[in-house]
Protein backbone atom coordinates (compact mmCIF):
# COMPACT_ATOMS: atom_id res chain seq x y z
CA UNK A 1 0.00 0.00 0.00
CA UNK A 2 1.45 3.36 -1.06
CA UNK A 3 1.06 6.42 1.19
CA UNK A 4 0.13 8.71 -1.66
CA UNK A 5 1.28 11.83 0.21
CA UNK A 6 4.80 10.38 0.20
CA UNK A 7 5.03 11.11 -3.52
CA UNK A 8 6.31 14.38 -4.94
CA UNK A 9 4.88 15.44 -8.28
CA UNK A 10 7.38 13.43 -10.35
CA UNK A 11 6.80 10.30 -8.28
CA UNK A 12 3.05 10.82 -8.49
CA UNK A 13 3.35 10.96 -12.30
CA UNK A 14 5.28 7.67 -12.28
CA UNK A 15 2.73 6.07 -9.96
CA UNK A 16 -0.16 7.15 -12.17
CA UNK A 17 1.67 5.74 -15.21
CA UNK A 18 2.21 2.40 -13.46
CA UNK A 19 -1.53 2.20 -12.83
CA UNK A 20 -2.13 2.71 -16.55
CA UNK A 21 -3.73 6.18 -16.24
CA UNK A 22 -3.13 9.07 -18.66
CA UNK A 23 -0.34 11.46 -17.46
CA UNK A 24 -2.72 14.40 -16.85
CA UNK A 25 -4.40 12.38 -14.08
CA UNK A 26 -1.41 13.09 -11.78
CA UNK A 27 -2.27 16.79 -11.65
CA UNK A 28 -5.94 16.01 -11.10
CA UNK A 29 -5.14 13.65 -8.24
CA UNK A 30 -2.74 16.19 -6.70
CA UNK A 31 -5.47 18.81 -6.78
CA UNK A 32 -7.95 16.54 -5.01
CA UNK A 33 -5.36 15.70 -2.37
CA UNK A 34 -3.81 19.10 -1.74
CA UNK A 35 -6.29 21.76 -2.89
CA UNK A 36 -9.60 20.11 -2.03
CA UNK A 37 -8.05 18.00 0.75
CA UNK A 38 -10.46 15.09 0.25
CA UNK A 39 -10.43 12.13 2.62
CA UNK A 40 -11.08 9.22 0.25
CA UNK A 41 -10.50 8.29 -3.38
CA UNK A 42 -14.29 8.00 -3.77
CA UNK A 43 -14.50 11.79 -3.67
CA UNK A 44 -12.36 12.13 -6.83
CA UNK A 45 -15.44 12.49 -9.01
CA UNK A 46 -13.64 13.24 -12.28
CA UNK A 47 -12.08 9.76 -12.17
CA UNK A 48 -14.01 6.67 -13.26
CA UNK A 49 -15.34 4.31 -10.61
CA UNK A 50 -12.87 1.67 -11.83
CA UNK A 51 -9.94 4.11 -11.46
CA UNK A 52 -11.03 5.10 -7.96
CA UNK A 53 -11.31 1.44 -6.92
CA UNK A 54 -7.86 0.72 -8.28
CA UNK A 55 -6.41 3.70 -6.37
CA UNK A 56 -8.12 2.56 -3.14
CA UNK A 57 -6.54 -0.88 -3.50
CA UNK A 58 -3.04 0.47 -4.19
CA UNK A 59 -2.79 3.58 -2.02
CA UNK A 60 -4.04 5.27 1.12
CA UNK A 61 -4.68 8.96 1.79
CA UNK A 62 -5.05 9.85 5.47
CA UNK A 63 -2.58 8.44 7.92
CA UNK A 64 -2.90 10.60 11.04
CA UNK A 65 -5.60 10.29 13.68
CA UNK A 66 -6.37 13.28 15.88
CA UNK A 67 -6.10 12.27 19.54
CA UNK A 68 -6.52 15.66 21.19
CA UNK A 69 -6.72 19.36 20.39
CA UNK A 70 -6.10 22.13 22.94
CA UNK A 71 -6.96 25.73 22.17
CA UNK A 72 -5.44 28.69 23.98
CA UNK A 73 -7.21 31.97 24.69
CA UNK A 74 -4.83 33.56 22.11
CA UNK A 75 -6.15 31.19 19.39
CA UNK A 76 -3.08 28.91 19.34
CA UNK A 77 -4.21 25.32 18.75
CA UNK A 78 -2.07 22.40 19.76
CA UNK A 79 -2.69 19.00 18.15
CA UNK A 80 -1.74 15.54 19.32
CA UNK A 81 -1.78 13.08 16.40
CA UNK A 82 -1.46 9.31 16.39
CA UNK A 83 0.51 7.60 13.63
CA UNK A 84 -0.46 4.20 12.16
CA UNK A 85 2.09 2.46 14.43
CA UNK A 86 0.59 4.04 17.58
CA UNK A 87 3.36 6.62 18.09
CA UNK A 88 2.26 10.17 18.83
CA UNK A 89 3.43 13.56 17.59
CA UNK A 90 2.45 17.19 18.06
CA UNK A 91 1.72 20.09 15.71
CA UNK A 92 0.89 23.69 16.63
CA UNK A 93 -1.30 26.16 14.73
CA UNK A 94 -0.36 29.77 15.53
CA UNK A 95 -2.72 32.44 14.19
CA UNK A 96 -1.31 35.95 13.62
CA UNK A 97 -3.17 39.06 12.49
CA UNK A 98 -2.17 38.76 8.83
CA UNK A 99 -1.01 35.17 8.48
CA UNK A 100 -1.22 31.72 10.08
CA UNK A 101 1.72 29.50 10.92
CA UNK A 102 1.92 25.76 11.46
CA UNK A 103 4.77 24.21 13.42
CA UNK A 104 5.29 20.59 12.31
CA UNK A 105 7.16 17.64 13.81
CA UNK A 106 9.70 15.66 11.78
CA UNK A 107 10.56 12.78 14.11
CA UNK A 108 8.95 10.76 16.90
CA UNK A 109 11.01 11.99 19.85
CA UNK A 110 14.41 13.49 19.10
CA UNK A 111 18.00 12.25 19.22
CA UNK A 112 19.46 15.74 19.83
CA UNK A 113 18.83 15.59 23.58
CA UNK A 114 18.68 19.34 24.34
CA UNK A 115 18.55 19.72 28.09
CA UNK A 116 15.79 22.34 28.14
CA UNK A 117 13.49 20.29 25.90
CA UNK A 118 10.73 18.01 27.10
CA UNK A 119 10.58 16.09 23.79
CA UNK A 120 14.20 15.02 24.30
CA UNK A 121 13.32 13.27 27.59
CA UNK A 122 11.66 10.34 25.80
CA UNK A 123 14.61 9.80 23.48
CA UNK A 124 14.30 9.03 19.80
CA UNK A 125 11.93 6.50 18.25
CA UNK A 126 11.95 7.04 14.47
CA UNK A 127 11.87 9.46 11.56
CA UNK A 128 8.55 10.61 10.17
CA UNK A 129 7.81 9.90 6.52
CA UNK A 130 7.13 12.81 4.17
CA UNK A 131 3.45 11.80 4.19
CA UNK A 132 3.33 11.98 7.98
CA UNK A 133 4.81 15.49 7.86
CA UNK A 134 2.54 16.73 5.06
CA UNK A 135 -0.53 15.15 6.66
CA UNK A 136 -0.06 17.39 9.72
CA UNK A 137 -0.70 20.38 7.44
CA UNK A 138 -3.74 18.78 5.77
CA UNK A 139 -5.37 17.76 9.04
CA UNK A 140 -4.85 21.13 10.72
CA UNK A 141 -5.99 23.07 7.64
CA UNK A 142 -9.19 21.02 7.48
CA UNK A 143 -9.74 21.57 11.20
CA UNK A 144 -9.24 25.36 11.29
CA UNK A 145 -11.24 25.89 8.09
CA UNK A 146 -10.30 27.17 4.67
CA UNK A 147 -10.83 30.83 5.59
CA UNK A 148 -7.84 30.58 7.96
CA UNK A 149 -5.30 29.42 5.38
CA UNK A 150 -1.97 28.24 6.77
CA UNK A 151 0.52 30.36 4.84
CA UNK A 152 3.68 29.66 6.85
CA UNK A 153 5.21 26.38 7.95
CA UNK A 154 8.06 26.04 10.42
CA UNK A 155 9.86 22.73 10.86
CA UNK A 156 10.40 23.37 14.56
CA UNK A 157 8.25 20.78 16.30
CA UNK A 158 9.42 17.46 17.69
CA UNK A 159 12.65 16.21 16.12
CA UNK A 160 15.79 17.48 14.40
CA UNK A 161 14.72 18.05 10.76
CA UNK A 162 18.19 17.78 9.23
CA UNK A 163 18.66 14.30 10.72
CA UNK A 164 15.64 13.29 8.61
CA UNK A 165 16.85 15.17 5.55
CA UNK A 166 15.38 13.12 2.68
CA UNK A 167 11.86 13.02 4.08
CA UNK A 168 11.96 16.70 5.11
CA UNK A 169 13.15 17.62 1.62
CA UNK A 170 10.31 15.62 0.05
CA UNK A 171 7.75 17.22 2.40
CA UNK A 172 9.09 20.68 1.41
CA UNK A 173 8.75 19.76 -2.29
CA UNK A 174 5.13 18.74 -1.75
CA UNK A 175 4.39 21.83 0.33
CA UNK A 176 5.84 24.26 -2.19
CA UNK A 177 4.90 22.74 -5.59
CA UNK A 178 2.23 24.80 -7.37
CA UNK A 179 0.06 21.75 -8.10
CA UNK A 180 0.34 20.55 -4.52
CA UNK A 181 0.17 22.72 -1.35
CA UNK A 182 1.61 25.71 -3.23
CA UNK A 183 3.20 27.52 -0.27
CA UNK A 184 5.77 30.22 -0.97
CA UNK A 185 9.31 28.91 -0.36
CA UNK A 186 10.00 32.12 1.58
CA UNK A 187 7.33 31.10 4.07
CA UNK A 188 8.78 27.72 4.91
CA UNK A 189 11.49 27.55 7.59
CA UNK A 190 13.61 24.51 8.40
CA UNK A 191 15.27 24.61 11.78
CA UNK A 192 18.34 22.77 13.01
CA UNK A 193 20.29 22.52 16.22
CA UNK A 194 23.45 22.70 14.10
CA UNK A 195 23.81 19.52 12.04
CA UNK A 196 26.66 20.77 9.86
CA UNK A 197 26.44 18.17 7.03
CA UNK A 198 22.69 18.89 6.86
CA UNK A 199 23.29 22.66 6.61
CA UNK A 200 25.74 22.04 3.75
CA UNK A 201 23.21 19.79 2.00
CA UNK A 202 20.50 22.36 2.54
CA UNK A 203 22.75 24.97 0.91
CA UNK A 204 22.82 22.84 -2.24
CA UNK A 205 19.44 21.13 -2.33
CA UNK A 206 16.95 23.21 -0.34
CA UNK A 207 18.22 26.77 -0.20
CA UNK A 208 14.99 28.42 -1.37
CA UNK A 209 13.40 27.84 2.04
CA UNK A 210 14.59 29.64 5.16
CA UNK A 211 17.20 28.18 7.48
CA UNK A 212 16.94 28.65 11.24
CA UNK A 213 19.77 27.61 13.54
CA UNK A 214 19.19 27.00 17.23
CA UNK A 215 22.39 28.37 18.71
CA UNK A 216 21.32 28.94 22.33
CA UNK A 217 24.83 29.63 23.66
CA UNK A 218 28.03 31.49 22.85
CA UNK A 219 30.79 29.19 24.13
CA UNK A 220 31.28 25.46 23.52
CA UNK A 221 31.53 24.81 27.24
CA UNK A 222 28.20 26.47 27.87
CA UNK A 223 26.52 24.98 24.79
CA UNK A 224 27.58 21.41 25.53
CA UNK A 225 25.68 21.60 28.80
CA UNK A 226 22.40 22.48 27.07
CA UNK A 227 22.83 21.12 23.53
CA UNK A 228 24.82 17.84 23.72
CA UNK A 229 25.10 17.69 19.91
CA UNK A 230 27.58 20.52 20.24
CA UNK A 231 30.23 17.87 20.99
CA UNK A 232 29.78 16.56 17.45
CA UNK A 233 29.39 19.93 15.72
CA UNK A 234 30.85 22.71 17.90
CA UNK A 235 30.02 26.40 17.51
CA UNK A 236 33.08 27.11 15.32
CA UNK A 237 32.03 24.42 12.80
CA UNK A 238 28.45 25.70 12.72
CA UNK A 239 29.60 29.27 12.12
CA UNK A 240 31.86 28.14 9.27
CA UNK A 241 28.86 26.33 7.69
CA UNK A 242 26.75 29.50 8.03
CA UNK A 243 29.49 31.59 6.40
CA UNK A 244 29.44 29.29 3.36
CA UNK A 245 25.63 29.19 3.23
CA UNK A 246 24.07 31.15 0.32
CA UNK A 247 22.29 33.77 2.46
CA UNK A 248 21.89 37.48 1.78
CA UNK A 249 19.97 40.38 3.23
CA UNK A 250 16.79 39.26 1.49
CA UNK A 251 17.20 35.71 2.68
CA UNK A 252 18.70 35.88 6.12
CA UNK A 253 19.48 32.97 8.40
CA UNK A 254 17.45 32.95 11.61
CA UNK A 255 19.46 32.47 14.78
CA UNK A 256 17.27 31.02 17.54
CA UNK A 257 18.38 31.68 21.11
CA UNK A 258 16.35 30.37 24.05
CA UNK A 259 16.88 32.60 27.08
CA UNK A 260 17.72 30.56 30.19
CA UNK A 261 18.15 32.45 33.43
CA UNK A 262 21.75 32.56 34.63
CA UNK A 263 22.90 30.14 31.92
CA UNK A 264 23.27 31.97 28.60
CA UNK A 265 21.62 35.35 29.15
CA UNK A 266 24.39 37.69 30.40
CA UNK A 267 25.43 40.86 28.59
CA UNK A 268 28.78 39.18 28.00
CA UNK A 269 26.91 36.44 26.13
CA UNK A 270 25.19 39.09 24.05
CA UNK A 271 28.56 40.64 23.14
CA UNK A 272 30.01 37.21 22.30
CA UNK A 273 26.99 36.51 20.11
CA UNK A 274 27.63 39.75 18.22
CA UNK A 275 31.20 38.61 17.48
CA UNK A 276 30.10 35.13 16.40
CA UNK A 277 27.55 36.30 13.84
CA UNK A 278 29.40 39.37 12.59
CA UNK A 279 29.27 39.52 8.77
CA UNK A 280 26.63 36.77 8.40
CA UNK A 281 23.20 37.97 7.18
CA UNK A 282 21.08 36.93 10.17
CA UNK A 283 18.05 37.79 12.23
CA UNK A 284 18.12 36.79 15.87
CA UNK A 285 15.05 35.46 17.67
CA UNK A 286 15.31 35.61 21.44
CA UNK A 287 12.95 32.98 22.79
CA UNK A 288 11.57 33.21 26.34
CA UNK A 289 11.88 29.73 27.86
CA UNK A 290 8.57 27.85 28.32
CA UNK A 291 9.00 26.06 31.64
CA UNK A 292 7.38 22.65 32.16
CA UNK A 293 6.94 20.69 35.42
CA UNK A 294 10.37 19.58 36.66
CA UNK A 295 12.29 21.71 34.13
CA UNK A 296 15.95 22.20 35.18
CA UNK A 297 15.96 25.85 33.97
CA UNK A 298 13.94 28.96 34.59
CA UNK A 299 13.05 31.76 32.18
CA UNK A 300 15.12 34.95 31.95
CA UNK A 301 13.08 37.94 33.21
CA UNK A 302 11.66 40.09 30.41
CA UNK A 303 13.75 43.14 31.30
CA UNK A 304 16.96 41.10 31.05
CA UNK A 305 15.90 39.76 27.63
CA UNK A 306 15.36 43.37 26.54
CA UNK A 307 18.85 44.36 27.77
CA UNK A 308 20.33 41.44 25.82
CA UNK A 309 18.37 42.54 22.75
CA UNK A 310 19.65 46.11 23.09
CA UNK A 311 23.28 44.95 22.87
CA UNK A 312 22.41 43.29 19.53
CA UNK A 313 20.53 46.36 18.32
CA UNK A 314 23.48 48.58 19.24
CA UNK A 315 25.52 46.52 16.77
CA UNK A 316 22.87 46.83 14.03
CA UNK A 317 21.72 43.24 14.39
CA UNK A 318 18.01 42.61 13.81
CA UNK A 319 16.88 40.98 17.04
CA UNK A 320 13.34 40.12 18.05
CA UNK A 321 11.80 38.73 21.19
CA UNK A 322 9.52 35.95 20.11
CA UNK A 323 6.20 36.12 21.92
CA UNK A 324 5.36 33.01 23.83
CA UNK A 325 2.08 31.67 22.53
CA UNK A 326 -0.41 29.27 24.06
CA UNK A 327 0.70 29.94 27.62
CA UNK A 328 -2.59 28.64 29.08
CA UNK A 329 -2.29 25.30 27.24
CA UNK A 330 0.59 22.79 27.03
CA UNK A 331 2.96 25.41 25.62
CA UNK A 332 6.29 23.60 25.72
CA UNK A 333 7.10 21.27 22.83
CA UNK A 334 6.32 17.68 23.89
CA UNK A 335 4.12 18.71 26.82
CA UNK A 336 0.79 17.57 25.37
CA UNK A 337 2.25 14.21 24.37
CA UNK A 338 3.71 13.71 27.85
CA UNK A 339 0.49 14.74 29.57
CA UNK A 340 -1.64 12.41 27.48
CA UNK A 341 0.73 9.53 28.10
CA UNK A 342 0.45 10.01 31.85
CA UNK A 343 -3.33 10.17 31.78
CA UNK A 344 -3.67 7.15 29.42
S1 LIG B 1 14.90 21.36 21.13
FE1 LIG B 1 14.46 20.49 19.10
S2 LIG B 1 16.43 19.58 18.51
FE2 LIG B 1 16.57 19.91 20.71
S3 LIG B 1 15.88 17.96 21.63
FE3 LIG B 1 14.07 19.29 21.46
S4 LIG B 1 13.10 18.73 19.54
FE4 LIG B 1 15.24 17.96 19.47
Amino acid sequence: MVDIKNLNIEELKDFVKELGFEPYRAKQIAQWLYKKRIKSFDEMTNLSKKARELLSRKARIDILKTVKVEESSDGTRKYLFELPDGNRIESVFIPEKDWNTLCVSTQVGCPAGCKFCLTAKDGFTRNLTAAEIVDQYIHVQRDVGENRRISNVVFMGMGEPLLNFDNVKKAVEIMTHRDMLDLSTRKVTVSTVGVVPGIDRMAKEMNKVKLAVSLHATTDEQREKIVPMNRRWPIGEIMKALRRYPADNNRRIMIEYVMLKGVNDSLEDARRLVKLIKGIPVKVNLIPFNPYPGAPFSPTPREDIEKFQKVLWDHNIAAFIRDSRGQDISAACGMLRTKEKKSA
Side-chain angles (χ1 to χ4, degrees):
M1 187 70 97
V2 170
D3 279 329
I4 201 158
K5 289 182 199 144
N6 261 340
L7 309 179
N8 64 20
I9 196 74
E10 296 309 322
E11 291 166 334
L12 186 59
K13 282 179 190 163
D14 290 344
F15 179 62
V16 157
K17 198 171 155 196
E18 272 167 35
L19 295 182
F21 298 170
E22 300 91 325
Y24 73 91
R25 294 291 188 194
K27 188 169 169 180
Q28 278 183 339
I29 292 170
Q31 290 190 333
W32 283 111
L33 292 172
Y34 299 109
K35 309 270 191 241
K36 300 198 175 84
R37 300 184 245 283
I38 46 94
K39 294 180 182 172
S40 87
F41 292 111
D42 276 343
E43 294 173 63
M44 298 184 172
T45 48
N46 54 3
L47 265 66
S48 70
K49 191 158 183 284
K50 213 171 128 208
R52 284 182 266 151
E53 278 170 4
L54 181 59
L55 275 169
S56 310
R57 280 201 306 278
K58 299 281 182 190
R60 60 177 172 176
I61 297 183
D62 274 358
I63 38 183
L64 299 185
K65 217 170 72 193
T66 307
V67 178
K68 185 151 193 185
V69 185
E70 283 187 351
E71 174 152 348
S72 156
S73 54
D74 66 14
T76 301
R77 286 172 77 77
K78 190 148 192 177
Y79 295 80
L80 183 67
F81 291 121
E82 190 162 289
L83 304 166
D85 63 3
N87 279 305
R88 291 176 170 190
I89 52 163
E90 294 180 1
S91 315
V92 190
F93 170 78
I94 308 150
E96 304 283 353
K97 193 164 152 276
D98 300 318
W99 69 86
N100 298 303
T101 301
L102 181 70
C103 176
V104 293
S105 292
T106 54
Q107 296 181 313
V108 179
C110 185
C114 303
K115 298 292 180 208
F116 54 83
C117 173
L118 190 55
T119 295
K121 284 204 176 310
D122 277 345
F124 170 66
T125 306
R126 69 168 175 87
N127 284 332
L128 295 189
T129 64
E132 288 165 342
I133 299 170
V134 170
D135 221 19
Q136 295 171 54
Y137 182 103
I138 304 275
H139 276 253
V140 175
Q141 184 64 83
R142 276 193 205 130
D143 182 63
V144 297
E146 296 297 331
N147 57 352
R148 290 201 283 172
R149 181 160 194 257
I150 302 164
S151 52
N152 297 41
V153 171
V154 293
F155 287 72
M156 289 185 185
M158 303 169 80
E160 161 53 59
L162 296 188
L163 290 179
N164 184 14
F165 196 96
D166 291 336
N167 294 340
V168 165
K169 183 182 166 189
K170 178 91 67 76
V172 166
E173 286 166 358
I174 294 167
M175 285 176 177
T176 56
H177 193 280
R178 67 179 182 285
D179 293 331
M180 299 182 124
L181 284 175
D182 197 20
L183 295 175
S184 159
T185 48
R186 302 172 77 89
K187 296 191 172 165
V188 175
T189 304
V190 175
S191 164
T192 177
V193 80
V195 177
V196 168
I199 296 173
D200 286 338
R201 245 189 107 182
M202 207 171 144
K204 292 195 193 89
E205 301 173 36
M206 224 184 358
N207 64 35
K208 297 273 183 294
V209 298
K210 279 194 198 154
L211 167 66
V213 177
S214 299
L215 195 62
H216 304 324
T218 58
T219 67
D220 283 328
E221 196 194 351
Q222 196 185 46
R223 194 165 188 265
E224 273 169 25
K225 287 188 194 138
I226 49 181
V227 181
M229 258 199 190
N230 194 71
R231 281 184 212 111
R232 196 144 166 218
W233 295 293
I235 293 177
E237 294 302 312
I238 297 170
M239 288 304 146
K240 275 190 215 157
L242 299 191
R243 285 181 198 281
R244 14 177 220 267
Y245 195 83
D248 56 39
N249 279 339
N250 294 321
R251 228 165 10 132
R252 293 194 218 185
I253 299 166
M254 317 290 292
I255 299 290
E256 309 287 313
Y257 198 100
V258 66
M259 301 292 294
L260 304 171
K261 190 176 173 191
V263 177
N264 61 358
D265 60 352
S266 70
L267 296 185
E268 209 188 326
D269 282 309
R271 287 189 282 270
R272 266 198 301 261
L273 181 57
V274 169
K275 275 195 197 144
L276 282 173
I277 59 184
K278 199 165 184 258
I280 309 175
V282 295
K283 273 185 199 165
V284 178
N285 276 327
L286 301 174
I287 308 164
F289 174 58
N290 264 328
Y292 52 85
F297 301 105
S298 43
T300 301
R302 180 82 186 191
E303 63 267 28
D304 291 343
I305 301 182
E306 285 169 5
K307 282 182 199 155
F308 194 107
Q309 180 187 36
K310 185 160 181 314
V311 174
L312 302 179
W313 280 351
D314 288 346
H315 290 82
N316 297 320
I317 292 167
F320 304 89
I321 300 173
R322 199 196 292 156
D323 278 336
S324 241
R325 302 289 301 263
Q327 281 301 302
D328 51 343
I329 56 172
S330 312
C333 173
M335 202 159 160
L336 182 56
R337 188 173 78 136
T338 306
K339 202 163 76 181
E340 285 302 302
K341 204 158 53 186
K342 276 191 190 138
S343 61

